[in-house]
Structure formats: C-alpha cells, structure tokens
Amino acid sequence: MSSSAKSNTELMERRMKAVPRAIGYAHGVFAAKALNSEIWDVEGRRYIDFCAGIAVLNTGHSHPKVLDAISAQLPLFSHTCFQVVAYESYVALAEKVAELAPGDFAKKAFFMSTGAEAVENAIKLARAYTGRSAIISFNGAFHGRTMYALALTGKVDPYKTGFGPMPGEVYHAPYPSEVHGISVDDAIAGIEKLFKNDVDPNRVAAIFVEPVQGEGGFIPGSTAFFQRLRALCDRHGILMVADEIQTGVARTGKIFAMEHFGVVPDLTTMAKGLGGGMPISAVVGRADVMDFCNPGALGSTYAGHPLACAAALAVLDIVREENLCQRSLIIGEQLRTCFSVLSERFDCIGDVRGLGAMTAIEFFHDGDRSRPAPEIANALKTEAARRGLLLLTCGNYGNVLRIMTPLTIPYPVLQEGLEIIGSVMAELHKKKSA
Ligand SMILES: Cc1ncc(COP(=O)(O)O)c(C=O)c1O
C-alpha cells in the first residue's frame, strides 16, 4: 500500500486492517499538523481541539518553547538511561516537581513514561513502605490499563472485559457525587463498610483517589471529602495517593488540583500535561516513602527520557510565565457560563460541573437523572466534528461531554468552539422535536 494516501477514509481502511479494534478511536480523522488549539487533518481541514490529546496539551500543540527545549537536547544525546549515565535535566525536574507538590515536608520525585506506570510504582512504594498489601480505590476511577492500575480502575467495560482475574487485594468504594446521589457521608461509610466486611484497615497500604474523577465523568471531589479521607488514612496508617495524572499541571486552575482542597496527600502521580506532548510521568511525595526501597527496585529503560525532561522543564516555565492556572480558571468560567445558558434551553443537560477548565456537561433523557443519555453526547461529538470541533465524552455511562482545551487557547477560538456546541445542540433539539 502506498504511503502517499491522503484521505481520512483511505487511512482509516488501512488502520482497520493493521491495528486491532481494541485500540479505539474517537474520531475518524488523521492529523497532519497541529498548532496551539487547532489541528489540521490530512485533507487540509481545520479543527478546533477541545481534546488536547486527552488533557495532555495544556501548553498547546507545538508550543515554541517546548519545541526549542526538545531541539536543544536532541543533538546532545537522546538516550543514556538515567540509571546508567545520569543527566542534569532529570534532577532539575525532580527538584522542581518536588518543590511544587503540596506538603511542607521533605519530598522527592522520580519519572516514568506513562500514567499507568506512575500508578504501578506508587502501588509498589506504598506496599513496601507500609508492609501491607491491600489497596482501595473508587468506583468510576480510572488509573490506567496495566494490570494493577487496571485492577484499581473502577469501570468494567471496556477496560477490564476479558482480562481477569484482576490482581488481588483491590477494593472499591463509592466516590461522592451529589448529582448521582452519593454524598460524602455515603462515600466515607462505603470505606468503613469495606473495613467491616472485606478488609482489615491494618492491611490497607494506600487509598488512591482522583481529585476530580476524569474518565469517570469529570466529578470534582470536595474539601469535606478529602479532609475526611485524610483523617481516615491517618487513623489507620494508610497512605493517601492523589492521582493527578489528568488533573495536574494547571488543568483545574492550580498546578495540583489537591491544592483547591487544602489536603496534602503522601504521594502524587502525574503524567499527561507534564510533558507538553512528550511521554513522561512522575511519582512525587514524602521522601521517607520514596527512599524506602533499595537501589534498582524502581526505574525503567526509557523512564525520564532526556527529551521528555527537557520538554517538562519548559512546560513548567510556560505554566508560570503564561499564567496558565489563571487562564484555566477563566476558561472554566466561560465554559460553565455558556453551558448554564444551554442547560436552560435544553432539558437533556442535567448537570454542568467542573473545576477550572476541567469542565463537563452531563446528558440525561428529558433531564431525568436516572436515565443517562450517551446517544446525545455521541451525536453532539459526531456532529461537532463534522463542523470542525473535536470533542470527547466520558463517564460511567458515556453520557458526559468533557472539555479539555489547551490552556493556551485564544479566547476567540474558545468562543468559536462553544458556538459550534450551541448550534449543534439547537440542531439536535430541532430534530428531536420535529
Ligand atoms: C487519572 C488517570 N490516571 C491514570 C491514567 C493512565 O495514564 P496513561 O494512559 O498515560 O497510562 C489516566 C489516563 O487517562 C488518568 O486519567
């Protein structure tokens, strides 16, 4: 097959033959180039990007400073393996991430390549440090697709189907979500119930929690919830691990979303936004936990890759220089204002929620919160793409439209994207009532 095929349809046909179905796709579009908050496909069509590679391009596609940092590193060396021959950028990034992470205790950080690897390593550390084996996570959580991260993930289909048995000693508790009828009391009671019926708290190494559930539906936790979770962890000697892989690096208006709640986790996992498009993840937190394992116990051939470290250092500079935390808050305000207006017009919008730019709308049939409407979220996604706006859904029922613009998006482009959502909603509504 010629490599000069330039239509999305032809490339899709080749993809279907060469790539397994299980590597899903949100859009039948093949990228040719991308800049800040726009993507052009192989047919030369422009799209506004409200996906940012799933909350990765917080600093936008091809930010010149990220490109410069990668270009400066590339001719020097592209790989030595940090455990074999070290390099300063890794150490500088560890210093920076440890300095930024919540907590006024001594902290250390190390790097992996993917979010799931960061989660795996946080599990290893928590188990080694506490000498305990059980882990608690939450219904609806997403922590990755490697086997232990998958066990922590709180959604069966499509992630777990056919892959069992899951690694043992993982327990799931309800995540608080008022709109789904789960209060903070219910969530904490759910953990207490686990302690009564399923696992001795003295056997629990860690509780993993997303400050805002991401794949689970963009559901923000609350100060009350995290304070009670922290107290419960302290009471039983359990480590609290914040999974900030999706929420981190200014996505919610703070470098770490947990800063909104004033609760300090023992360990934090990061990835996505950290690398500005380069694959890098991190575990950061208490130095005494980090230093518990023997040399060689942690690491990976490519982990903390020099190009990714260079990019990540540039990303953290950009976040500060371009006030991306502040921008995230402004973007979030604009999104929620627009969606609140839409929710008054369309009763299928049952909830508008978010923290900073991490904002979503949830669809229900006729506004009845017991009847999730993934069809509406999907129809909106499909029609918006046809009109040049790329969107993604999420949620336990796939009925949530989540917005993940680059935080560097120009406001007129943001507005243009929101107008497409408004016009598609009006169109869908017209069809429904016709
Ligand atoms: C909160 C959270 N944890 C872990 C992961 C897994 O990251 P990765 O896909 O890089 O392995 C994700 C990915 O979406 C995530 O949102």
Coordinates of all heavy atoms in Angstrom, one line a residue, residues 47-98:
Y47 N -9.6 21.8 12.5 CA -10.4 21.5 13.6 C -10.0 22.3 14.8 O -8.8 22.5 15.1 CB -10.3 20.0 14.0 CG -10.8 19.1 12.9 CD1 -9.9 18.7 11.9 CD2 -12.1 18.6 12.9 CE1 -10.3 17.9 10.9 CE2 -12.5 17.8 11.9 CZ -11.6 17.4 10.9 OH -12.1 16.6 9.9
I48 N -10.9 22.7 15.6 CA -10.6 23.3 16.9 C -10.5 22.1 17.9 O -11.3 21.2 17.8 CB -11.8 24.2 17.4 CG1 -11.8 25.4 16.4 CG2 -11.5 24.7 18.8 CD1 -13.0 26.3 16.6
D49 N -9.5 22.1 18.7 CA -9.2 20.9 19.5 C -9.6 21.1 21.0 O -9.0 21.8 21.7 CB -7.7 20.6 19.4 CG -7.3 19.4 20.2 OD1 -8.3 18.6 20.6 OD2 -6.1 19.1 20.4
F50 N -10.8 20.5 21.3 CA -11.2 20.6 22.7 C -10.9 19.3 23.4 O -11.5 18.9 24.4 CB -12.7 20.8 22.8 CG -13.2 22.3 22.7 CD1 -12.3 23.3 22.3 CD2 -14.5 22.6 23.1 CE1 -12.7 24.6 22.2 CE2 -14.9 24.0 23.1 CZ -14.0 25.0 22.6
C51 N -9.9 18.5 22.9 CA -9.5 17.3 23.5 C -8.1 17.3 24.1 O -7.8 16.7 25.1 CB -9.5 16.1 22.5 SG -11.0 16.0 21.6
A52 N -7.2 18.1 23.4 CA -5.8 18.2 23.8 C -5.1 16.9 24.1 O -4.4 16.8 25.0 CB -5.7 19.2 25.0
G53 N -5.4 15.9 23.2 CA -4.8 14.6 23.3 C -5.1 14.0 24.7 O -4.2 13.4 25.3
I54 N -6.3 14.2 25.1 CA -6.8 13.8 26.5 C -6.0 14.5 27.6 O -5.3 13.9 28.3 CB -6.8 12.3 26.7 CG1 -7.3 11.5 25.5 CG2 -7.7 12.0 27.9 CD1 -7.6 10.0 25.8
A55 N -6.2 15.8 27.6 CA -5.7 16.7 28.7 C -4.2 16.6 28.8 O -3.6 16.8 29.9 CB -6.3 16.3 30.0
V56 N -3.5 16.5 27.6 CA -2.1 16.4 27.6 C -1.5 17.8 27.2 O -0.6 18.3 27.8 CB -1.6 15.3 26.7 CG1 -0.1 15.5 26.3 CG2 -1.8 14.0 27.3
L57 N -2.1 18.4 26.2 CA -1.5 19.6 25.6 C -2.0 20.8 26.4 O -2.6 21.8 25.8 CB -1.9 19.8 24.1 CG -1.0 18.9 23.1 CD1 0.5 19.0 23.4 CD2 -1.4 17.5 23.1
N58 N -1.8 20.9 27.7 CA -2.2 22.0 28.5 C -1.5 23.3 28.0 O -2.0 24.4 28.0 CB -1.8 21.8 30.0 CG -2.6 20.7 30.6 OD1 -3.3 20.0 29.9 ND2 -2.5 20.5 31.9
T59 N -0.3 23.1 27.4 CA 0.5 24.3 26.9 C 0.3 24.4 25.4 O 1.1 25.1 24.7 CB 2.0 24.1 27.2 OG1 2.4 22.7 26.9 CG2 2.3 24.3 28.7
G60 N -0.6 23.7 24.9 CA -1.0 23.8 23.4 C -0.1 22.9 22.6 O 1.0 22.5 23.0
H61 N -0.5 22.6 21.3 CA 0.3 21.9 20.4 C 1.5 22.7 20.0 O 1.4 23.9 19.7 CB -0.5 21.5 19.1 CG -1.6 20.6 19.4 ND1 -1.5 19.2 19.4 CD2 -3.0 20.8 19.6 CE1 -2.6 18.6 19.6 NE2 -3.6 19.6 19.7
S62 N 2.6 22.0 19.9 CA 3.9 22.6 19.4 C 4.2 24.0 20.0 O 4.5 24.9 19.2 CB 3.7 22.7 17.8 OG 3.3 21.5 17.3
H63 N 4.1 24.1 21.3 CA 4.5 25.4 21.9 C 6.0 25.6 21.5 O 6.8 24.8 21.7 CB 4.3 25.3 23.4 CG 4.4 26.7 24.0 ND1 5.6 27.4 24.1 CD2 3.5 27.5 24.6 CE1 5.4 28.6 24.7 NE2 4.1 28.6 25.0
P64 N 6.3 26.9 21.0 CA 7.7 27.1 20.5 C 8.7 26.8 21.6 O 9.8 26.3 21.3 CB 7.6 28.6 20.2 CG 6.3 29.1 20.3 CD 5.4 28.0 20.8
K65 N 8.4 27.1 22.9 CA 9.4 26.9 23.9 C 9.6 25.4 24.2 O 10.7 24.9 24.5 CB 9.0 27.5 25.2 CG 9.1 29.0 25.2 CD 9.2 29.6 26.6 CE 9.7 31.0 26.4 NZ 9.3 31.8 27.6
V66 N 8.6 24.6 24.0 CA 8.7 23.1 24.2 C 9.5 22.6 23.0 O 10.5 21.8 23.2 CB 7.3 22.4 24.2 CG1 7.5 20.9 24.2 CG2 6.6 22.9 25.5
L67 N 9.2 23.1 21.8 CA 10.0 22.7 20.6 C 11.4 23.1 20.8 O 12.3 22.3 20.5 CB 9.4 23.3 19.3 CG 8.0 22.9 18.9 CD1 7.7 23.4 17.5 CD2 7.8 21.4 18.9
D68 N 11.7 24.3 21.2 CA 13.1 24.7 21.4 C 13.8 23.8 22.4 O 15.0 23.5 22.2 CB 13.1 26.2 21.9 CG 12.8 27.2 20.8 OD1 12.8 26.8 19.6 OD2 12.6 28.4 21.1
A69 N 13.2 23.5 23.5 CA 13.8 22.7 24.5 C 14.2 21.3 24.0 O 15.2 20.8 24.2 CB 12.9 22.5 25.7
I70 N 13.2 20.7 23.2 CA 13.5 19.4 22.6 C 14.6 19.5 21.6 O 15.5 18.7 21.5 CB 12.2 18.8 22.0 CG1 11.1 18.6 23.0 CG2 12.5 17.5 21.2 CD1 9.7 18.3 22.5
S71 N 14.5 20.5 20.7 CA 15.5 20.7 19.7 C 16.9 20.9 20.3 O 17.9 20.5 19.7 CB 15.2 21.9 18.8 OG 13.9 21.8 18.4
A72 N 17.0 21.6 21.4 CA 18.3 21.9 22.0 C 18.9 20.6 22.6 O 20.1 20.4 22.5 CB 18.2 22.9 23.1
Q73 N 18.0 19.7 23.1 CA 18.5 18.5 23.7 C 18.9 17.4 22.6 O 19.9 16.7 22.8 CB 17.4 17.9 24.6 CG 17.8 16.5 25.3 CD 19.0 16.6 26.1 OE1 19.3 17.5 26.8 NE2 19.9 15.5 25.9
L74 N 18.1 17.4 21.6 CA 18.2 16.3 20.6 C 19.6 16.0 20.1 O 20.1 14.9 20.1 CB 17.2 16.5 19.5 CG 17.0 15.3 18.5 CD1 16.6 14.0 19.2 CD2 15.9 15.6 17.5
P75 N 20.3 17.0 19.6 CA 21.7 16.8 19.1 C 22.7 16.4 20.2 O 23.8 15.9 19.8 CB 22.1 18.1 18.4 CG 21.2 19.1 18.9 CD 20.0 18.5 19.5
L76 N 22.4 16.7 21.4 CA 23.4 16.4 22.5 C 23.4 14.9 22.8 O 24.4 14.2 22.7 CB 23.0 17.2 23.8 CG 23.0 18.7 23.6 CD1 22.7 19.4 24.9 CD2 24.4 19.2 23.1
F77 N 22.3 14.3 23.2 CA 22.1 12.9 23.3 C 20.6 12.6 23.5 O 19.9 13.5 24.0 CB 22.8 12.3 24.5 CG 22.5 12.9 25.9 CD1 21.5 12.4 26.7 CD2 23.3 14.0 26.3 CE1 21.3 12.9 27.9 CE2 23.0 14.6 27.6 CZ 22.0 14.0 28.4
S78 N 20.1 11.5 23.0 CA 18.7 11.2 23.1 C 18.4 10.1 24.1 O 17.3 9.9 24.5 CB 18.1 10.8 21.7 OG 18.7 9.7 21.2
H79 N 19.5 9.4 24.5 CA 19.2 8.3 25.5 C 20.5 7.9 26.1 O 21.5 7.6 25.4 CB 18.5 7.1 24.8 CG 18.2 6.0 25.8 ND1 17.3 6.1 26.8 CD2 18.8 4.8 26.1 CE1 17.3 5.1 27.5 NE2 18.2 4.3 27.1
T80 N 20.5 7.8 27.4 CA 21.7 7.1 28.1 C 21.2 6.1 29.1 O 21.9 5.2 29.5 CB 22.5 8.1 28.9 OG1 21.6 8.8 29.8 CG2 23.2 9.2 28.0
C81 N 19.9 6.2 29.4 CA 19.2 5.5 30.6 C 19.7 6.2 31.9 O 20.9 6.1 32.2 CB 19.5 4.0 30.6 SG 18.5 3.3 31.9
F82 N 18.8 6.9 32.5 CA 19.2 7.7 33.7 C 19.9 6.8 34.8 O 20.8 7.3 35.4 CB 18.0 8.3 34.3 CG 18.3 9.2 35.5 CD1 18.9 10.5 35.2 CD2 18.0 8.9 36.8 CE1 19.2 11.3 36.3 CE2 18.3 9.7 37.8 CZ 18.9 10.9 37.6
Q83 N 19.6 5.6 34.9 CA 20.2 4.7 35.9 C 21.6 4.4 35.5 O 22.4 3.9 36.3 CB 19.4 3.4 36.2 CG 18.0 3.6 36.7 CD 17.0 3.5 35.6 OE1 16.9 4.3 34.7 NE2 16.1 2.5 35.7
V84 N 22.0 4.5 34.2 CA 23.3 4.1 33.8 C 24.2 5.3 33.7 O 25.3 5.4 34.4 CB 23.2 3.4 32.4 CG1 24.6 3.1 31.9 CG2 22.3 2.2 32.4
V85 N 23.8 6.3 32.9 CA 24.6 7.6 32.9 C 23.5 8.7 33.1 O 22.7 8.9 32.2 CB 25.3 7.8 31.6 CG1 26.0 9.2 31.6 CG2 26.4 6.7 31.4
A86 N 23.6 9.4 34.2 CA 22.6 10.4 34.6 C 22.7 11.7 33.8 O 23.7 11.9 33.1 CB 22.6 10.7 36.1
Y87 N 21.7 12.5 33.9 CA 21.8 13.9 33.2 C 21.0 14.9 34.1 O 20.1 14.5 34.9 CB 21.2 13.9 31.8 CG 20.1 12.9 31.6 CD1 18.7 13.3 31.8 CD2 20.3 11.6 31.3 CE1 17.7 12.4 31.6 CE2 19.3 10.6 31.1 CZ 18.0 11.1 31.3 OH 17.0 10.2 31.1
E88 N 21.5 16.1 34.0 CA 21.0 17.2 34.9 C 19.5 17.4 34.8 O 18.8 17.7 35.8 CB 21.8 18.5 34.7 CG 21.5 19.5 35.8 CD 22.2 20.8 35.6 OE1 23.1 20.9 34.8 OE2 21.8 21.8 36.2
S89 N 19.0 17.4 33.6 CA 17.6 17.8 33.4 C 16.6 16.9 34.2 O 15.6 17.4 34.8 CB 17.2 17.7 31.9 OG 17.4 16.4 31.4
Y90 N 17.0 15.6 34.4 CA 16.1 14.7 35.2 C 16.1 15.3 36.7 O 15.1 15.4 37.3 CB 16.7 13.3 35.2 CG 15.9 12.2 35.9 CD1 15.3 11.2 35.1 CD2 15.7 12.2 37.2 CE1 14.6 10.2 35.8 CE2 15.0 11.2 37.9 CZ 14.5 10.2 37.1 OH 13.8 9.2 37.7
V91 N 17.3 15.6 37.2 CA 17.5 16.0 38.6 C 16.8 17.4 38.7 O 16.0 17.6 39.7 CB 19.0 16.1 38.9 CG1 19.1 16.6 40.4 CG2 19.7 14.8 38.7
A92 N 17.0 18.3 37.8 CA 16.3 19.6 37.8 C 14.8 19.4 37.9 O 14.1 20.2 38.6 CB 16.8 20.4 36.6
L93 N 14.3 18.5 37.1 CA 12.8 18.3 37.0 C 12.3 17.7 38.4 O 11.3 18.1 38.9 CB 12.5 17.4 35.8 CG 11.0 17.3 35.6 CD1 10.3 18.6 35.3 CD2 10.7 16.3 34.4
A94 N 13.1 16.8 38.9 CA 12.7 16.2 40.2 C 12.7 17.3 41.3 O 11.8 17.4 42.1 CB 13.7 15.1 40.6
E95 N 13.7 18.2 41.2 CA 13.7 19.3 42.2 C 12.5 20.2 42.1 O 11.8 20.5 43.0 CB 15.0 20.1 42.0 CG 16.3 19.5 42.4 CD 17.6 20.2 41.9 OE1 17.4 21.1 41.0 OE2 18.6 19.9 42.4
K96 N 12.2 20.5 40.8 CA 11.1 21.4 40.5 C 9.7 20.8 40.9 O 8.9 21.5 41.6 CB 11.1 21.7 39.0 CG 10.2 22.7 38.5 CD 10.9 24.1 38.5 CE 9.9 25.2 38.8 NZ 10.5 26.3 39.4
V97 N 9.5 19.6 40.5 CA 8.3 18.9 40.8 C 8.1 18.7 42.3 O 7.0 19.0 42.9 CB 8.2 17.5 40.1 CG1 7.1 16.7 40.6 CG2 8.0 17.8 38.6
A98 N 9.2 18.4 43.0 CA 9.1 18.2 44.5 C 8.8 19.6 45.2 O 8.1 19.6 46.1 CB 10.4 17.6 45.0

